[in-house]
Amino acid sequence: MPETAAFCPGCGRPMETALRAQGRVGFLPENIAGALAYLTFIPAVLFLLLDPYRRSRFLRFHSLQCLFFWAAIAVLGIALRIAAWILLIIPVLGHLLTVLITVVLVLALFFVWLVLVIKALQGAAFHLPILGDLAEQPIAPSSVQNQ
């Protein structure tokens, strides 16, 4: 399939174009700004509010996915706290399980965060299973033009 094909020559369905960094937005390259969006939720919110940055589909996607990722981390933290209260009923094993689950979860979340930052630096839009779909909904090609 040619990269420039807008429609599949076999079935005629429209081809989805991958969301990629295309240049500069403001004074930053798009891929650097996309990676900066993942540092904390503060740059992500700023990129969604400030004028030259909010027009970039690539940057909006990464900013929204970052906010959803931070929200998911908060929900997981609350769930882990509730699970810890329940597990601490077990005398020795409960504390050990709580520490083990916390360490594994923190390492997994750090790994996912690192992948998101690296993919943004590469200029690609890496979609997390549910969060990426939510982040891409407001920037569907039919509703927003890439500027």
Side-chain angles (χ1 to χ4, degrees), residues 3-134:
E3 296 236 355
T4 58
F7 297 94
C8 175
C11 66
R13 282 195 279 170
M15 301 298 300
E16 292 185 24
T17 58
L19 188 61
R20 299 208 45 93
Q22 296 178 349
R24 299 181 77 80
V25 59
F27 65 91
L28 294 171
E30 246 182 347
N31 61 338
I32 300 294
L36 286 175
Y38 288 108
L39 289 182
T40 62
F41 64 90
I42 296 170
V45 170
L46 288 176
F47 288 148
L48 288 173
L49 295 177
L50 295 177
D51 190 30
Y53 303 104
R54 68 179 176 187
R55 285 187 252 151
S56 166
R57 286 182 63 217
F58 179 79
L59 197 50
R60 254 192 323 220
F61 167 77
H62 284 290
S63 296
L64 286 171
Q65 184 166 259
C66 170
L67 293 176
F68 291 141
F69 184 63
W70 280 99
I73 288 174
V75 169
L76 282 174
I78 292 169
L80 184 62
R81 177 66 72 170
I82 293 169
W85 287 336
I86 294 169
L87 285 174
L88 288 177
I89 295 172
I90 306 170
V92 176
L93 187 62
H95 185 66
L96 182 63
L97 282 174
T98 300
V99 170
L100 182 66
I101 292 170
T102 302
V103 168
V104 169
L105 189 62
V106 166
L107 287 175
L109 290 173
F110 177 74
F111 178 73
V112 170
W113 174 81
L114 194 60
V115 167
L116 290 172
V117 170
I118 290 171
K119 292 304 268 183
L121 282 172
Q122 291 175 346
F126 181 76
H127 289 69
L128 291 174
I130 296 170
L131 306 178
D133 295 336
L134 289 173

